Amino acid sequence: MTRPDHDSHADHQFGSRAAAYVASATHASGADLARMAQALAERRPARLIDIGTGGGHVAYAAAPHCDEVIATDLSPRMLAAVEAESARRGLANVVTCACPAEALPFAQAHVDAVSSRFSAHHWNSLARGLAQARRVCRNGALALFADVVAPASALCDTHLQAVELLRDASHVRDYSAAEWTAALGQAGFAVAAILPGRLRMDFAEWTARMDTPADLAAAIRVLQQGAPREVQDHFAIEADGSFTIDTLLIEAVAV
């Protein structure tokens, strides 16, 4: 049997869950999202590309501060949900484009800002995705990247990647802050600020949002329950499997 490639797999995983991501309280709020909106309000870019828009929450937050917001995603079904929600909110300046992060179909220096939130850990290649983000940016453009971040501890890093993959087979990698900084520099971005955060994940909601099969959700619980003290403490693993992850928001400039 021919297996789908990664992009097709991600489209399948997320397209069927589009409504859940638009409605997700975890994705619709947060200090990182508020800071992204504030940074865009300060800069007021004419055109922004939100890469891997998912439920569209960055696009909605950016729309009052930009002339045009281009929300991109692998999944046409996800983008259809974003279009419907944008129309419901009266955001006529949000447009969509189906494409992978590694192949943005826009001209060089097309935009004044790029953003991506909770998407890069699904990209086939962080380096190629960031190279594309830099290519479409004008010199001096604002770049905002937010994601789950891997702990510096290899022990905790391995646990995080394992539970992420069990929950969602399209997961690639949660990168460390050091990996992010190096990749951004190689792509042509200068990091201006890194804002760390912590985010509690309700286990039942986290698995339901991705429709994780029951046997895989059970496997995650086995890993959590058998994890050493250092992992239990770092992720603040609770009796029901809920846990807390590290996040970061990176503000950068295209140079």
Side-chain angles (χ1 to χ4, degrees), residues 21 26 29 32 47 53 62 86 90 95 125 165 185 193 219 222 249:
Y21 275 84
T26 299
S29 61
D32 62 324
R47 181 182 290 132
T53 198
S86 296
V95 299
S125 168
L165 188 59
V222 170
L249 167 59

Side-chain angles (χ1 to χ4, degrees), residues 17-145:
R17 307 300 301 155
Y21 275 84
V22 170
S24 169
T26 299
H27 292 78
S29 61
D32 62 324
L33 185 60
R35 174 55 198 162
M36 292 173 91
Q38 180 184 350
L40 293 167
E42 292 168 357
R43 290 286 293 267
R44 302 201 67 85
R47 181 182 290 132
L48 172 141
I49 295 176
D50 185 40
I51 304 170
T53 198
H57 299 291
V58 173
Y60 313 141
H65 313 301
C66 306
D67 294 339
E68 181 181 47
V69 176
I70 305 170
T72 75
D73 201 274
L74 276 175
S75 172
R77 288 176 293 175
M78 190 71 84
L79 293 176
V82 171
E83 289 170 0
E85 181 64 12
S86 296
R88 188 188 72 80
R89 297 184 184 213
L91 303 176
N93 61 331
V94 175
V95 299
T96 64
C97 177
C99 61
E102 299 86 353
L104 301 177
F106 308 105
Q108 184 171 340
H110 188 63
V111 298
D112 311 285
V114 292
S115 61
S116 185
R117 181 172 181 255
F118 297 145
S119 170
H121 61 274
H122 294 288
W123 297 357
N124 222 324
S125 168
L126 180 66
R128 293 203 306 273
L130 293 180
Q132 282 290 294
R134 176 61 187 90
R135 182 186 63 79
V136 301
C137 279
R138 299 189 176 104
N139 290 340
L142 175 66
L144 301 168
F145 296 99

Side-chain angles (χ1 to χ4, degrees), residues 32 116-118 145-150 175-178 180-181 184 194-198 246-250:
D32 62 324
S116 185
R117 181 172 181 255
F118 297 145
F145 296 99
D147 210 348
V148 179
V149 61
Y175 298 95
S176 68
W180 266 105
T181 300
L184 285 164
I194 299 178
L195 290 77
R198 295 274 284 171
D246 300 296
T247 64
L248 55 72
L249 167 59
I250 299 178

Side-chain angles (χ1 to χ4, degrees), residues 159 163 203 219-227 232 237 241-243:
H159 177 88
V163 299
F203 186 84
I220 294 171
R221 294 294 291 121
V222 170
L223 280 180
Q224 290 179 323
Q225 291 162 358
Q232 297 268 352
I237 298 172
S242 299
F243 60 101

